[in-house]
Amino acid sequence: MLYRLKEAGYQAFLVGGCVRDLMLGLEPKDFDVATNAQPEEVRRLFRNCRLVGRRFRLAHVFFGRETIEVATFRASTAPDEVEEPIATIDEDDVLEGDDEAGVDDGFDASGADAAAVADFADDDDDDQEDDAGDAGVAGDNHETSAVSPRSGRAAAMRDELRDRDDDPDSERVVNEHGRILRDNVYGNIDEDVWRRDFSANALYYNIADFSIWDYVGGFEDVQARRLKLIGDPETRYREDPVRMLRAARFEAKLGFHLDPATAEPIGQLRELLAGVPAARLFDETLKLFLTGHGVRSLQVLRDRALLEVLLPNLGRFLARHPGSPVEKLLLCGLENTDARVGADRPVTPSFLFAILLYGPIGEAIEALPRERWSDVGSILDAVDAAIRVIQPRVALPRRFALGVRDMFAMQPRLEAPRGRRALRLLENPRFRAAFDLLVLRAEAGLVSRELVDWWIALQEASPPQRVDLADAAESRRAAPRGVGSSGSRAPGGRRRRRRGGRGPRGGGGGGGGTGVVPG
């Protein structure tokens, strides 16, 4: 591809994270190309090409299942530092945000699409905003209603563009906080380097002489494992607040340390993330937690005080309950997810958000009277409430919200298997994900390990043996069980065990629940 561009008379470079990773001895996730050919010219050279993007016009060239992203050199048209718009953060303006009309996010919660999620673009390309993200939230009365996070936000962006775009042919527009709304002003490589975000991502590999072109000291920064923004950090964060999350992701993924000048403005400017399209922040959340470094990403987000902005209910819960069983569950879940990614096994956002929201969901359940802790309606209400809190920030698509609801709704049935009904539960397409959540709860001491072992034995048994196990469990269930007055246990619930009853029951060994409400 590079040689075809070169033979057509254009410059062509490998650029960004792929060059950095090759220097570090890592296998690049993908390859990005920078050229002086404009997107329409790239499309004329490659029939297998599609132009994408509005904020940044790009060419995607497809080779089988692989996609090569081709970006045209952009001009460095930002005002000089003294002319940069420095606006105070007005809460009303920040919460207004902006968004773009979305298209289908392209993910499916089914097992067939889980692998596609595992390969989610952990791209290191600079300043590319995805034009994707249909989303919804689980509604009231245990039904799921499609609620678009773009209502009002897309219109606000259109109005802002119209108000600021005095020249209809203008290709670069920024808002009052300095955030770039559109940037399709093309230039040359000498200008292009200055609009890239981090020096480590601003290295160009030239196929003409097999050399690396470095304008900003990125070569030395990679060797020193240092992450440094190009230009004035505050200005660059205002241009695109997602750079704060990208800095956290690279810190977690690469083990780089942030240059002090790059780290310093994050605390002051983090609330600007509230103005970023929620669909884009969903994509960034997947890049943080589903690309093999989720545990470290969580720690960096907490250290940089970004978690409270990205996932406010999770941030508040962890701050109130440090070292709780729920935090242990979350860390175990992220460790397992990292291991699956490392083994090239599928992962899904439904499971990710189930563990991220477990604490807020369980806390809402435990706020109810104990007899309602295992009521499916109460559980679903708690799930819906937790998703509604994050929806303005991270637009969780409806299909994944449904997956979270199903996983939590199945927990009481997993905790209290009822004879041969348990066999039908094995056939539920959500069973495996719900069972994995049960296993995590056992590892955190929230349900008994005996219960998990029984379900494992049931899955491994032959059909006749499964019937025997289910009948035996039903017999034990019919005998005096030694539970509390209600015998109810939910994902947020715990029960006290009296001496006597045994069997594949939840809550016995570990105290159950989120560990917030005393037993």
Side-chain angles (χ1 to χ4, degrees):
M1 177 179 174
L2 290 168
Y3 285 103
R4 186 183 297 185
L5 285 165
K6 180 176 179 291
E7 290 166 0
Y10 300 108
Q11 288 182 302
F13 296 81
L14 286 179
V15 65
C18 62
V19 181
R20 179 204 65 216
D21 288 349
L22 289 170
M23 286 183 58
L24 294 171
L26 304 175
E27 182 178 352
K29 184 75 174 178
D30 49 30
F31 291 89
D32 300 312
V33 173
T35 178
N36 59 347
Q38 295 196 7
E40 293 75 13
E41 294 171 328
V42 175
R43 183 164 57 181
R44 284 197 292 270
L45 283 175
F46 299 92
R47 290 184 300 173
N48 52 333
C49 176
R50 183 178 66 182
L51 301 187
V52 299
R54 288 181 293 277
R55 183 170 181 244
F56 297 118
R57 197 71 166 158
L58 300 169
H60 281 180
V61 182
F62 301 95
F63 296 93
R65 298 185 63 181
E66 299 295 325
T67 302
I68 306 296
E69 189 168 87
V70 183
T72 303
F73 296 143
R74 290 193 177 84
S76 178
T77 55
D80 294 334
E81 183 174 338
V82 295
E83 298 173 350
E84 282 293 339
I86 304 299
T88 57
I89 302 177
D90 183 271
E91 182 177 359
D92 292 335
D93 291 338
V94 171
L95 294 179
E96 275 290 319
D98 56 28
D99 206 343
E100 303 178 8
V103 297
D104 185 74
D105 55 78
F107 295 113
D108 192 339
S110 67
D113 252 3
V117 177
D119 289 334
F120 182 83
D122 181 25
D123 64 274
D124 297 337
D125 191 41
D126 299 283
D127 307 327
Q128 309 304 338
E129 179 172 347
D130 298 327
D131 296 327
D134 86 336
V137 61
D140 294 327
N141 301 320
H142 326 310
E143 298 294 334
T144 302
S145 56
V147 179
S148 170
R150 297 180 296 275
S151 56
R153 295 168 70 93
M157 182 176 185
R158 286 193 299 269
D159 292 343
E160 184 169 22
L161 282 169
R162 184 168 56 247
D163 292 342
R164 294 177 177 276
D165 203 2
D166 298 329
D167 179 1
D169 296 324
S170 174
E171 292 292 346
R172 192 175 197 277
V173 183
V174 298
N175 70 7
E176 67 271 23
H177 298 303
R179 179 169 183 263
I180 298 174
L181 302 178
R182 186 171 68 232
D183 184 9
N184 286 306
V185 181
Y186 302 124
N188 56 44
I189 189 172
D190 298 318
E191 297 173 305
D192 184 78
V193 66
W194 300 106
R195 69 94 185 163
R196 296 189 172 271
D197 55 4
F198 299 102
S199 60
N201 293 340
L203 298 172
Y204 298 77
Y205 178 73
N206 182 18
I207 62 168
D209 58 5
F210 310 109
S211 62
I212 293 179
W213 292 19
D214 178 12
Y215 292 79
V216 290
F219 192 92
E220 290 77 13
D221 287 336
V222 171
Q223 291 182 319
R225 306 187 79 85
R226 178 172 56 241
L227 198 63
K228 182 167 63 176
L229 274 170
I230 299 171
D232 175 61
E234 181 171 341
T235 299
R236 302 312 303 276
Y237 287 139
R238 289 184 181 277
E239 286 178 346
D240 186 0
V242 169
R243 286 176 177 143
M244 290 182 273
L245 295 180
R246 285 171 55 80
R249 175 157 58 92
F250 292 141
E251 184 178 3
K253 173 185 175 180
L254 302 171
F256 281 25
H257 64 274
L258 261 63
D259 181 74
T262 297
E264 192 274 332
I266 291 178
Q268 173 192 354
L269 301 178
R270 59 180 183 148
E271 291 298 333
L272 289 176
L273 286 167
V276 174
R280 188 180 179 205
L281 291 185
F282 171 75
D283 291 346
E284 292 297 327
T285 302
L286 297 192
K287 293 175 185 179
L288 283 161
F289 292 111
L290 290 186
T291 52
H293 47 85
V295 174
R296 179 63 180 149
S297 290
L298 179 67
Q299 185 59 53
V300 172
L301 289 175
R302 296 179 73 179
D303 292 344
R304 301 292 177 193
L306 293 169
L307 186 63
E308 293 83 352
V309 182
L310 186 66
L311 299 167
N313 47 1
L314 172 61
R316 290 193 296 265
F317 181 91
L318 294 179
R320 288 196 303 267
H321 308 290
S324 67
V326 172
E327 184 172 342
K328 180 179 178 181
L329 177 148
L330 174 57
L331 292 175
C332 285
L334 292 176
E335 287 172 0
N336 292 347
T337 298
D338 290 346
R340 291 180 69 89
V341 173
D344 200 25
R345 299 175 64 190
V347 292
T348 173
S350 291
F351 188 81
L352 170 66
F353 280 89
I355 61 175
L356 290 175
L357 298 178
Y358 186 94
I361 292 170
E363 194 171 40
I365 293 172
E366 289 188 349
L368 300 171
R370 183 178 291 265
E371 60 271 15
R372 294 180 57 190
W373 284 5
S374 60
D375 174 66
V376 173
S378 299
I379 293 172
L380 293 179
D381 281 342
V383 173
D384 294 346
I387 292 175
R388 279 196 296 269
V389 171
I390 68 167
Q391 201 72 11
R393 299 292 175 88
V394 178
L396 182 63
R398 178 180 179 182
R399 67 193 70 179
F400 299 136
L402 283 173
V404 176
R405 298 175 95 239
D406 290 345
M407 290 169 62
F408 275 89
M410 290 176 66
Q411 294 304 303
R413 297 169 66 188
L414 291 173
E415 291 185 41
R418 302 188 61 182
R420 299 191 183 188
R421 295 184 182 181
L423 303 182
R424 293 198 296 271
L425 199 59
L426 293 177
E427 301 173 1
N428 191 304
R430 299 285 189 190
F431 169 78
R432 187 66 212 184
F435 173 72
D436 287 345
L437 181 59
L438 184 74
V439 172
L440 280 180
R441 296 175 63 207
E443 291 177 357
L446 301 177
V447 295
S448 71
R449 183 67 204 186
E450 179 188 10
L451 174 68
V452 172
D453 292 340
W454 185 86
W455 278 106
I456 292 175
L458 188 68
Q459 293 175 71
E460 295 176 347
S462 65
Q465 291 173 329
R466 287 181 175 182
V467 173
D468 293 340
L469 284 170
D471 289 344
E474 179 65 16
S475 299
R476 287 193 296 268
R477 193 185 72 84
R481 295 175 297 166
V483 299
S485 59
S486 68
S488 60
R489 294 167 310 284
R494 59 170 68 198
R495 78 174 176 91
R496 295 173 178 166
R497 179 183 290 280
R498 298 176 185 172
R499 281 182 287 179
R502 296 180 60 84
R505 307 288 301 177
T514 64
V516 178
V517 177

